[in-house]
Amino acid sequence: MGSVPVTETVDIVVVGARCAGTATAIAAARAGRRVLALDAAAFPSDALSTHLLWPAGVAELRALGALDRVLAIGAPPLTTASAAGAGYEVRARFPAVDGVDFALCVRRVGLDAALVTTAKQAGVEIRQKCRVTDLVWAGDRVVGVRYLDREHGEREVRAALVVGADGRRSTVARAVGAIDPYRSEDSGRSCYFAYWTDPDPTERGVAAQWRDGALLGTAFPCDDGLVLCLVQPPAQGRDGRSSEEIYRSALAAIPPLTRRLRDSEMVGRVRAATDLMSYFRRSAGPGWALPGDAGHFKDPVTAQGIRDALRYGRLLGEAVAPVLADREALDAAVTAWDKRRERECLGMYRWTNRLARGTAMGPLEIELYRTATTDPGLAAATLEVMSRTRLPTGVMGPLGLTALAGRALVRAGDRRREVLSQIADEVRDLVEATLWPALTVLRPDRHARPLTRPEPAPLDQGRRNAS
């Protein structure tokens, strides 16, 4: 069975010290709580991420006290958004969110290191090269973690709350039996991206996206004089091709993006994210919570992941800090936090899933672009959706949908059936979004559904449970 690991006690232990983990830790530490964050990596280190932050995400960095440190990395403020497709280009200034009117694209090496430094200054203890191997239980309650420190061997830490901020393949989610989502949708796109030199200064303040057939491509200027260029072709087999071959083929099929990179050279390798699935997992239970991708993930097509990790990590830390000594109040706080995230993210989840279908622009979407080219209010409203200051129903609500649908039907020609099908999809989403609060009252609370705690391996039985 081996020796009993060294044990210590803190208020909160956070598994994962990147965006969601540091946000939770900073908020709780500033409220006077002793917080320990564990991460298997050594910082600074990279993470697979497309890392665009809309103004709402930049505002979260400011709320955490990390913005000045992140700005010092050198990524240019992106003040303008451009979206082009079907022969139309829509350009608009980013709307302000809490006084922030620009986006940022900061590579994760620098962004995560800035967050770790901010967390340390807030009083968080961060231990690197520490891999969590198991949870510690007292009955059906999580009361700590067991982890392997590369320098000091196996250790154990007890805490009132274990925060699993350890990504899509979360060890904590698996250990509490929450790894299977209760809401999910497979993406119709794959994601490939690389960095390029960006010698032309004229577009350094523009976050740009292009649609060409079923292809989607972006160019986001970032730090160190580079531009992040991403393509999302429809998900399909590789047919023996490498990631770089698929990437370059997609680039060549989007002429405006090729022109954007005409004087650029690729730096480093092409990175890929395939077999993507958007989901909500149950993210709260007795003694545990799952912020960030561990509990909720959306396809990168709308670039919302970092903002949500920062925001709901921060809100989790603020919610639990005052009630850690009261188990009943703590459980109520994490459950309320979990419900709030679903309520506030569900509209963007649906919006994202539509864009992630991997199909060409349909007549209704083309009409949206067409109208926005001459209607600054509609262009601004669409950006407000992406910045999370307006619900998707604020653009595709009854009035907006009716107006777009009427114009699309007039121009539809032999695509009339396709327009009607798209209208039906939008109406279904609108009805669900409108009725969702009532449905959550009428149906059994899925947050209260008991989870099946995984059975430990026989040799670990005695060590897994707290005395």
Side-chain angles (χ1 to χ4, degrees):
M1 184 177 295
S3 60
V4 177
V6 176
T7 300
E8 60 184 312
T9 301
V10 297
D11 293 323
I12 299 174
V13 60
V14 179
V15 182
R18 295 189 185 269
C19 296
T22 53
T24 305
I26 289 167
R30 285 181 176 161
R33 296 303 185 175
R34 185 183 175 196
V35 184
L36 171 64
L38 305 170
D39 202 291
F43 295 99
S45 62
D46 204 359
L48 184 65
S49 168
T50 53
H51 56 75
L52 177 70
L53 282 162
W54 300 94
V58 180
E60 286 298 328
L61 289 175
R62 189 175 67 179
L64 291 168
L67 181 55
D68 288 346
R69 189 170 285 112
V70 172
L71 287 173
I73 296 170
L78 307 177
T79 58
T80 301
S82 170
Y88 302 97
E89 181 183 9
V90 182
R91 279 202 173 211
R93 301 273 300 186
F94 281 109
V97 179
D98 296 333
V100 176
D101 61 357
F102 60 92
L104 282 176
C105 185
V106 186
R107 289 179 297 168
R108 290 294 297 271
V109 171
L111 176 64
D112 292 357
L115 287 167
V116 165
T117 299
T118 303
K120 289 179 178 178
Q121 290 190 347
V124 179
E125 182 180 359
I126 295 181
R127 295 180 189 168
Q128 305 174 53
K129 301 181 182 180
C130 293
R131 181 174 60 85
V132 170
T133 58
D134 206 352
L135 301 183
V136 181
W137 298 81
D140 289 327
R141 185 174 200 86
V142 175
V143 295
V145 303
R146 187 167 291 111
Y147 68 97
L148 185 62
D149 185 321
R150 293 186 201 174
E151 296 182 3
H152 301 101
E154 190 174 16
R155 302 173 70 91
E156 181 177 293
V157 57
R158 304 286 179 88
L161 181 68
V162 172
V163 175
D166 48 346
R168 287 185 291 155
R169 297 176 177 84
S170 170
T171 296
V172 177
R174 190 172 301 280
V176 298
I179 198 70
D180 293 327
Y182 62 83
R183 185 193 301 272
S184 66
E185 185 166 333
D186 290 332
S187 176
R189 297 185 181 276
S190 296
C191 180
Y192 300 86
F193 67 93
Y195 300 99
W196 297 70
T197 59
D198 198 22
D200 183 357
T202 59
E203 295 295 301
R204 289 291 288 168
V206 180
Q209 178 193 92
W210 295 269
R211 301 282 297 276
D212 194 309
L215 294 171
L216 183 149
T218 66
F220 302 141
C222 59
D223 49 295
D224 203 23
L226 301 175
V227 58
L228 168 66
C229 178
L230 172 149
V231 294
Q232 286 196 266
Q236 57 190 11
R238 289 177 174 266
D239 298 324
R241 296 179 297 167
S242 67
S243 292
E244 182 167 345
E245 288 171 330
I246 295 172
Y247 179 71
R248 289 188 179 274
S249 175
L251 283 181
I254 308 176
L257 181 51
T258 302
R259 290 194 293 271
R260 172 68 175 83
L261 299 174
R262 62 183 176 275
D263 296 321
S264 303
E265 296 181 2
M266 194 170 79
V267 176
R269 63 185 178 89
V270 174
R271 307 188 71 176
T274 59
D275 299 322
L276 295 170
M277 179 179 69
S278 298
Y279 57 78
F280 285 91
R281 291 173 178 149
R282 178 178 171 183
S283 295
W288 59 271
L290 303 175
D293 290 351
H296 169 50
F297 176 79
K298 290 181 289 293
D299 187 278
V301 70
T302 52
Q304 298 292 324
I306 295 178
R307 178 266 184 188
D308 284 352
L310 295 173
R311 175 172 176 77
Y312 295 102
R314 175 177 63 82
L315 291 177
L316 175 62
E318 291 173 351
V320 301
V323 294
L324 289 171
D326 183 336
R327 287 186 170 183
E328 184 175 345
L330 175 60
D331 293 349
V334 294
T335 297
W337 164 84
D338 186 14
K339 291 180 177 180
R340 175 180 181 177
R341 181 175 64 177
E342 181 185 36
R343 182 175 65 252
E344 294 180 355
C345 291
L346 193 55
M348 180 52 68
Y349 174 81
R350 297 192 190 95
W351 182 281
T352 299
N353 289 341
R354 285 199 296 271
L355 291 175
R357 286 174 181 167
T359 57
M361 294 173 66
L364 202 60
E365 193 173 7
I366 292 172
E367 192 58 42
L368 176 64
Y369 273 60
R370 187 201 315 272
T371 305
T373 58
T374 57
D375 183 349
L378 179 59
T382 304
L383 277 180
E384 288 169 359
V385 171
M386 302 302 286
S387 286
R388 310 293 279 278
T389 58
R390 181 187 293 262
L391 293 173
T393 51
V395 173
M396 286 296 191
L399 293 178
L401 179 58
T402 299
L404 288 175
R407 290 192 290 268
L409 284 169
V410 168
R411 294 185 174 94
D414 59 1
R415 301 184 71 181
R416 189 178 182 87
R417 180 173 295 180
E418 186 179 350
V419 175
L420 293 172
S421 176
Q422 286 190 320
I423 293 171
D425 284 346
E426 295 293 342
V427 169
R428 278 194 297 270
D429 279 352
L430 182 60
V431 169
E432 185 178 352
T434 303
L435 295 180
W436 185 84
L439 291 174
T440 58
V441 173
L442 294 173
R443 71 186 181 188
D445 187 356
R446 56 92 188 156
H447 291 272
R449 176 177 57 85
L451 293 174
T452 302
R453 174 179 153 196
E455 288 298 323
L459 289 177
D460 291 335
Q461 182 70 57
R463 297 171 55 197
R464 187 181 175 91
N465 292 280
S467 58

